[in-house]
Amino acid sequence: MKVFEGLKFSRKTSIIHFLDPRTKFLVSCVIFLISLIFSELIILSILFVAQIPLILLAKIQREWSHSIRGGAFLIIIILSTNLIFGYISNNFQLTSRLLIHSIAMAFRFIIITSSFSIFFLTTSPDNLSLALEQSHIPYEFCFAFTTAVRFVPVLANEAQTIIDAQRSRGLEVEKGNFLKRVRKYIPLLIPLIVNAIRRSLELAEAMESRAFGAKKQRTNIYSLKIKKADSIIIISSLIIIFLAIYSKFNLQIPIIQIPLLPP
Amino acid sequence: MIKVENAFFTYPSGVKALEGLNLEIQDGEFIGIMGENGAGKTTLVKHFNGLLKPTNGSIYINGKNTRETTVAELSKNVGLVFQNPDHQLFCETVEEEVTFGLKNFGFAEEKIVERTDWVLNFLELERYRKSSPFILSGGERKRVALAAVLAWDPNILVLDEPTIGQDYLQKERLRQYIEQLNGQGRTVIIVTHDIEFIAECKPRIIVLSKGKIINYATAKEALTNSENLSKASIFPPQIAQLFTQIADLGLPKDVIDVYEAKVLIENLLKGGKRNEGV
Ligand SMILES: Nc1ncnc2c1ncn2[C@@H]1O[C@H](COP(=O)(O)OP(=O)(O)OP(=O)(O)O)[C@@H](O)[C@H]1O
Ligand SMILES: [Mg+2]
């Protein structure tokens, strides 16, 4: 359940929180793209280190580390599958390149998780909705999206209560072989889904009784404005992504070599 | 027996829910836990079957430390019924819902049939045996959730907010079930905000406030101590308020029971008439 903590907006005041959601989304996308363009460990490490000041500035160290810890399981899977399959296809030889490549792939996942975690942790659902609306996305979609984001922690909480209730009835999820374990998710999933559907129907009724969609033309009290800081960051991000693409095709990136292993 | 020794509990988010509780509940007792919203009542009862382990201090159920026992093992003795039945009902029929726990605990086939018949009969659910729990009313669903736990006959029964959303008749029936179960020697613990219900059941009362026990006394003592209750955002039952306000008529203050009140007032009125006559 910790994973969801890493997506939950925490109301704080910081420079990062103050930035326009669109700016932050662009930065996250730039980080995401660069991490896809390059598979060299050096570049990926730089990308990772570059995020640390952002996390500290936004004062979200704790929430951020929850989301990384929540992804630990996937990180280990990525690392080990890369290692195992690389090892097999490499005629059962562990090379420096293989090891570095596996670590880099795990790093790539961490970077992507953390960049979007920073985005969601520092952007309030309201601002997110405004940003979507001002990007001319139909309001119904914006609403559905932000509601989904908003309900993630609620669902996570509810899932925990359901797990507690069924464990109190003697359900032991960790026990038994794989097939038995899968079957044990039924008592957890059915109440969760039933409640989610029930809740969404209630939400729809509540919205209709508050005249959702009565007027085609919606207005907002607040509107987002691209500030000076935003423009600077947007322009630098664009320059960075351009430089990244340029150097991908024109520069040789040094490769790290692990001692005691064949290259 | 439940023994709580200097128990502290802090949620991972940093909320301090329990702050140094000491408590002993003997076998066969009837206990009511009261306290303001967020006092830590649910957190406390989740410790009784090991769903939560104290961050500091220890909890013993029948002499066993909850830290060294699994939830399943503890739950066999401590039946915990959650507030919202929709968090646990998932089967196609009420009958399957009841047998789920029995199967988990590995009861033999004949025993399962026997216990299912008993509990459906006891809680008057027999006619819903083959119905889907999802089509039942809120009160009935709550009864199914109770049946699903009562089925394996735990000797400690814990009910979190059992009276929410129940009409008067249902509450009265619930009270009878509880008294019957307690009369048969089971420990019953109810967590509730329903002061009138508590005043009728008269369990021993634990008043919890901000993670601390601020009173542990008989219903009569606890429910008439308005100063203590107000710390936990509780107002005494109406009968008790009335008797506090008319105390200068020479009546006792600590009355929480309508029947007792009736006898006292009758005596007063009769006595009053006699006085007038003289
Ligand atoms: N899963 C959780 N994570 C973090 N904090 C929690 C969690 N559950 C409860 N709390 C907090 O712990 C405190 C005690 O909560 P608890 O649910 O035990 O109160 P309660 O006495 O049962 O209240 P109520 O009468 O509202 O049911 C509250 O401050 C609550 O916000
Ligand atoms: Mg509670």
Side-chain angles (χ1 to χ4, degrees):
Chain A
M1 295 306 122
K2 280 265 175 76
V3 195
F4 298 114
E5 294 262 306
L7 290 178
K8 200 159 81 186
F9 168 65
S10 49
R11 202 167 292 277
K12 288 177 182 162
T13 43
S14 78
I15 308 173
I16 311 284
H17 284 75
F18 170 76
L19 288 175
D20 192 282
R22 289 164 289 185
T23 315
K24 281 183 275 190
F25 189 69
L26 179 73
V27 173
S28 290
C29 287
V30 164
I31 296 177
F32 173 70
L33 282 177
I34 299 180
S35 75
L36 285 190
I37 295 173
F38 294 97
S39 51
E40 286 83 0
L41 189 55
I42 289 194
I43 304 281
L44 292 173
S45 318
I46 294 172
L47 269 184
F48 180 71
V49 174
Q51 292 186 22
I52 293 174
L54 300 182
I55 294 163
L56 293 179
L57 270 178
K59 295 177 249 172
I60 47 164
Q61 309 75 306
R62 230 194 43 213
E63 295 84 352
W64 174 83
S65 76
H66 277 170
S67 66
I68 297 297
R69 263 183 279 165
F73 180 68
L74 276 174
I75 295 173
I76 291 168
I77 286 193
I78 292 171
L79 189 67
S80 51
T81 44
N82 268 300
L83 266 181
I84 293 165
F85 288 109
Y87 184 67
I88 293 170
S89 63
N90 214 355
N91 294 322
F92 301 96
Q93 213 192 6
L94 185 66
T95 60
S96 164
R97 237 186 67 167
L98 172 60
L99 192 57
I100 292 284
H101 177 75
S102 310
I103 295 174
M105 288 306 107
F107 242 80
R108 180 182 278 173
F109 176 77
I110 296 176
I111 290 163
I112 297 172
T113 319
S114 98
S115 73
F116 285 100
S117 167
I118 295 174
F119 174 72
F120 282 110
L121 280 172
T122 59
T123 308
S124 80
D126 302 319
N127 278 349
L128 193 55
S129 174
L130 272 182
L132 289 173
E133 266 180 77
Q134 294 189 4
S135 315
H136 303 290
I137 292 169
Y139 181 66
E140 283 79 10
F141 288 101
C142 309
F143 186 83
F145 179 76
T146 45
T147 312
V149 172
R150 211 186 286 248
F151 271 99
V152 165
V154 177
L155 274 184
N157 236 332
E158 190 159 278
Q160 189 58 54
T161 311
I162 292 170
I163 293 172
D164 284 351
Q166 305 300 31
R167 283 179 79 201
S168 302
R169 295 169 78 191
L171 182 78
E172 290 179 285
V173 184
E174 298 87 14
K175 238 170 135 180
N177 60 29
F178 181 71
L179 266 181
K180 274 194 184 146
R181 278 208 221 173
V182 170
R183 282 178 54 95
K184 282 181 178 166
Y185 278 93
I186 295 173
L188 304 181
L189 287 178
I190 292 183
L192 191 63
I193 295 169
V194 169
N195 281 332
I197 294 174
R198 192 173 285 161
R199 172 167 296 137
S200 68
L201 293 178
E202 277 169 15
L203 184 66
E205 280 174 5
M207 280 161 52
E208 292 209 46
S209 40
R210 287 155 76 178
F212 181 85
K215 272 211 161 140
K216 281 280 150 290
Q217 198 67 43
R218 287 184 87 257
T219 53
N220 283 311
I221 296 184
Y222 303 106
S223 69
L224 297 170
K225 283 202 186 70
I226 298 285
K227 293 167 288 264
K228 205 168 176 189
D230 291 306
S231 341
I232 297 173
I233 294 174
I234 290 173
I235 293 169
S236 351
S237 302
L238 292 176
I239 294 175
I240 290 174
I241 186 80
F242 174 77
L243 283 180
I245 295 169
Y246 176 82
S247 53
K248 172 72 182 176
F249 295 108
N250 296 295
L251 288 181
Q252 186 72 38
I253 292 143
I255 290 167
I256 309 174
Q257 160 76 37
I258 295 182
L260 303 179
L261 280 181
Chain B
M1 196 183 89
I2 300 175
K3 195 169 171 195
V4 179
E5 270 182 10
N6 199 22
F8 285 79
F9 185 79
T10 309
Y11 279 101
S13 62
V15 177
K16 292 195 176 98
L18 301 180
E19 302 200 62
L21 296 197
N22 285 294
L23 182 65
E24 238 174 68
I25 298 174
Q26 305 296 339
D27 285 338
E29 272 199 88
F30 180 21
I31 302 281
I33 303 181
M34 307 199 73
E36 78 272 4
N37 287 126
K41 305 178 296 292
T42 303
T43 309
L44 175 64
V45 296
K46 278 187 180 172
H47 279 77
F48 293 162
N49 72 346
L51 283 172
L52 298 175
K53 317 275 176 180
T55 30
N56 241 316
S58 320
I59 290 178
Y60 299 90
I61 307 294
N62 299 330
K64 270 186 268 177
N65 190 332
T66 58
R67 267 205 205 87
E68 288 143 19
T69 330
T70 63
V71 175
E73 214 174 310
L74 286 165
S75 294
K76 218 175 155 180
N77 281 316
V78 185
L80 177 55
V81 184
F82 280 66
Q83 179 180 329
N84 185 351
D86 297 335
H87 283 148
Q88 54 165 289
L89 301 180
F90 72 99
C91 295
E92 278 175 51
T93 64
V94 169
E95 183 179 27
E96 283 173 57
E97 207 66 66
V98 171
T99 54
F100 176 71
L102 293 165
K103 284 181 188 153
N104 283 335
F105 289 120
F107 280 82
E109 198 56 50
E110 315 89 72
K111 196 79 186 155
I112 292 183
V113 174
E114 184 196 317
R115 294 297 314 168
T116 309
D117 289 345
W118 176 81
V119 83
L120 291 180
N121 197 15
F122 178 69
L123 293 177
E124 297 159 81
L125 288 166
E126 193 58 58
R127 64 199 160 114
Y128 300 124
R129 186 184 269 262
K130 297 284 175 206
S131 321
S132 159
F134 294 104
I135 62 158
L136 300 180
S137 78
E140 288 160 346
R141 285 211 295 274
K142 261 189 110 97
R143 233 170 333 138
V144 174
L146 173 60
V149 171
L150 206 51
W152 68 82
D153 197 11
N155 51 28
I156 301 173
L157 185 66
V158 186
L159 309 174
D160 197 350
E161 317 256 13
T163 61
I164 284 191
Q166 305 279 50
D167 63 28
Y168 182 75
L169 188 70
Q170 290 296 338
K171 278 204 234 178
E172 201 45 36
R173 271 158 114 188
L174 179 71
R175 192 169 68 86
Q176 282 164 14
Y177 299 140
I178 290 174
E179 276 171 4
Q180 215 169 327
L181 292 167
N182 182 237
Q184 292 162 359
R186 294 179 187 84
T187 310
V188 178
I189 301 175
I190 54 176
V191 173
T192 185
H193 291 287
D194 192 336
I195 189 102
E196 306 295 338
F197 184 72
I198 284 279
E200 264 180 59
C201 296
K202 298 185 212 56
R204 221 179 138 71
I205 292 177
I206 297 173
V207 184
L208 211 61
S209 174
K210 300 193 185 71
K212 292 199 178 85
I213 294 178
I214 59 167
N215 203 0
Y216 186 17
T218 63
K220 217 176 166 86
E221 285 176 83
L223 295 185
T224 51
N225 187 345
S226 55
E227 202 176 314
N228 179 270
L229 288 179
S230 71
K231 282 188 205 147
S233 311
I234 307 170
F235 223 56
Q238 291 186 345
I239 289 285
Q241 290 172 39
L242 178 66
F243 274 75
T244 315
Q245 284 177 23
I246 59 173
D248 40 342
L249 293 179
L251 290 175
K253 277 194 210 169
D254 57 344
V255 179
I256 56 168
D257 186 291
V258 177
Y259 182 73
E260 191 188 348
K262 172 188 159 232
V263 173
L264 282 168
I265 293 175
E266 265 176 6
N267 285 345
L268 179 78
L269 289 177
K270 278 182 202 153
K273 275 192 188 128
R274 213 178 302 135
N275 285 346
E276 258 173 27
V278 172

